[in-house]
Amino acid sequence: MLNKQNSNRLTKETSPYLLQHAHNPVDWHPWGEEAFTKAKNENKPIILSIGYSCCHWCHVCKSMLLETAESSYTLI
């Protein structure tokens, strides 16, 4: 489900994989110093998505966890 209301900073990326996460309510960051600094300053772990493009159950988890506001607040 593409929800422009939930767009995050990944909308500016060029990677097709990163763009898959661009409209999740999770505030995803691309891998880099900005993400590391924010995690350190907020004392939060780095949650790394390593792909769900070709796995059926990964798509199921994505729709259950990453596309709903309620569950994504836990990851923010």
Side-chain angles (χ1 to χ4, degrees), residues 1-3 6 20 23-26 52 59 61-72:
M1 167 188 284
L2 211 63
N3 184 348
N6 292 328
Q20 289 179 345
H23 301 290
N24 296 151
V26 175
Y52 57 78
H59 279 282
C61 289
K62 177 190 82 114
S63 64
M64 291 174 61
L65 298 173
L66 302 179
E67 292 181 351
T68 62
E70 297 81 22
S71 60
S72 68

Side-chain angles (χ1 to χ4, degrees), residues 2-43:
L2 211 63
N3 184 348
K4 301 286 184 184
Q5 179 181 354
N6 292 328
S7 296
N8 58 46
R9 70 188 75 244
L10 295 183
T11 59
K12 299 174 185 166
E13 296 299 313
T14 59
S15 162
Y17 173 73
L18 292 178
L19 290 171
Q20 289 179 345
H21 290 297
H23 301 290
N24 296 151
V26 175
D27 185 22
W28 293 108
H29 288 64
W31 188 261
E33 284 305 313
E34 180 185 3
F36 303 138
T37 300
K38 183 175 180 175
K40 183 177 181 178
N41 290 342
E42 296 180 9
N43 195 29

